[in-house]
């Protein structure tokens, strides 16, 4: 279950990073499309720019803020019960990865990740690091439920990213389909 959580997290991080990287490219394509159709450009500018909705990139920071608050809510429900377990597992990780004892860069990264998770009382990254280091632990029913909820939450975020205009434009290689996606995006901005 923890491995599945790691997998969906990495899928989300990959897609989120890709979206951030291609945001400007998508907006540039929208502007190029609008340049081909001056009348559409005029309507777009009147509706979007005059209403102070100037778009230079797709704002994914809103997604980040929502995600952080959701994760904190889920995790805070568990922390009071598992504080000693969190501490015990963190100490096991620190013994295996502490930079003063070892000069391995990847272990140092795991140590820093574990320290951040411990300081924020976040058990899920601690369990993931324990898996990577093969530190044994037991998962309670409440923790299993917590992990399943987090997996579901991240899958929902991935699904949301995949529905964005930017993602649809990115995965589509057909220029005609890309233009249709851009046109749909323009229409959505004009109608707002």
């Amino acid at each position: 279950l923890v491995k599945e959580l790691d997998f969906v997290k990495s899928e989300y991080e990959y897609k989120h990073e890709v979206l951030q990287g291609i945001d400007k490219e998508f907006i540039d394509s929208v502007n190029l499309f609008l340049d081909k159709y001056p009348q559409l450009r005029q309507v777009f500018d009147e509706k979007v720019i005059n209403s102070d909705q100037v778009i230079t990139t797709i704002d994914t920071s809103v997604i980040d803020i929502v995600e952080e608050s959701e994760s904190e809510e889920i995790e805070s429900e568990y922390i009071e019960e598992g504080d000693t377990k969190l501490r015990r597992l963190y100490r096991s990780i620190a013994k295996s990865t502490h930079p003063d004892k070892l000069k391995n860069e990847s272990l140092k990264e795991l140590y820093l990740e574990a320290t951040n998770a411990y300081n924020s009382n976040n058990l899920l990254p601690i369990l993931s690091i324990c898996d990577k280091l093969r530190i044994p632990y037991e998962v309670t029913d409440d923790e299993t439920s917590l992990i399943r909820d987090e997996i579901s939450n991240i899958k929902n975020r991935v699904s949301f990213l995949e529905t964005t205009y930017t993602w649809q434009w990115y995965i589509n290689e057909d220029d005609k389909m890309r233009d249709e996606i851009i046109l749909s995006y323009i229409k959505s901005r004009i109608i707002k």
Side-chain angles (χ1 to χ4, degrees):
L1 207 52
V2 173
K3 288 193 186 312
E4 181 181 359
L5 177 61
D6 286 343
F7 175 78
V8 295
K9 275 184 181 177
S10 66
E11 179 185 19
Y12 172 78
E13 289 166 2
Y14 165 75
K15 289 183 177 181
H16 189 265
E17 193 174 309
V18 166
L19 275 174
Q20 288 180 326
I22 62 169
D23 248 3
K24 185 176 179 342
E25 189 178 336
F26 175 71
I27 294 301
D28 289 346
S29 294
V30 168
N31 285 319
L32 287 172
F33 184 88
L34 286 169
D35 288 343
K36 289 185 214 175
Y37 304 98
Q39 289 177 332
L40 184 58
R41 163 68 80 185
Q42 184 179 0
V43 171
F44 184 80
D45 288 348
E46 286 173 8
K47 293 285 189 175
V48 177
I49 295 177
N50 291 339
S51 66
D52 294 324
Q53 298 177 8
V54 178
I55 304 292
T56 54
T57 62
I58 306 299
D59 187 10
T60 55
S61 62
V62 175
I63 298 168
D64 295 335
I65 292 167
V66 170
E67 292 167 0
E68 288 172 16
S69 65
E70 287 175 353
S71 292
E72 288 171 11
E73 287 173 19
I74 291 171
E75 193 60 34
S76 65
E77 295 172 9
Y78 167 77
I79 293 309
E80 289 141 15
E81 302 168 8
D83 190 46
T84 57
K85 180 177 186 173
L86 181 72
R87 185 179 304 117
R88 180 179 48 79
L89 291 175
Y90 172 72
R91 286 182 180 171
S92 295
I93 292 169
K95 287 177 189 175
S96 303
T97 62
H98 200 284
D100 291 345
K101 293 182 180 182
L102 305 164
K103 301 299 179 196
N104 183 317
E105 198 60 35
S106 63
L107 291 178
K108 179 181 175 183
E109 290 297 319
L110 287 176
Y111 173 78
L112 293 174
E113 186 181 332
T115 300
N116 288 336
Y118 178 74
N119 289 336
S120 62
N121 290 325
N122 193 345
L123 179 66
L124 298 181
I126 296 290
L127 295 178
S128 176
I129 295 167
C130 285
D131 271 357
K132 291 174 186 170
L133 297 172
R134 298 183 183 180
I135 296 171
Y137 61 89
E138 290 184 26
V139 179
T140 65
D141 290 341
D142 288 343
E143 293 164 347
T144 300
S145 177
L146 177 69
I147 295 167
R148 289 182 198 279
D149 289 346
E150 184 66 7
I151 289 170
S152 176
N153 186 8
I154 294 170
K155 284 181 177 181
N156 288 338
R157 288 185 234 154
V158 168
S159 294
F160 173 77
L161 291 178
E162 291 172 343
T163 64
T164 63
Y165 290 107
T166 306
W167 184 261
Q168 292 301 311
W169 176 83
Y170 171 71
I171 62 169
N172 213 311
E173 295 180 8
D174 179 24
D175 287 339
K176 187 175 179 177
M177 286 300 299
R178 280 183 155 198
D179 283 349
E180 287 180 25
I181 293 165
I182 289 171
L183 187 56
S184 293
Y185 171 75
I186 292 168
K187 286 179 183 177
S188 75
R189 299 300 300 160
I190 290 173
I191 292 172
K192 276 189 173 179

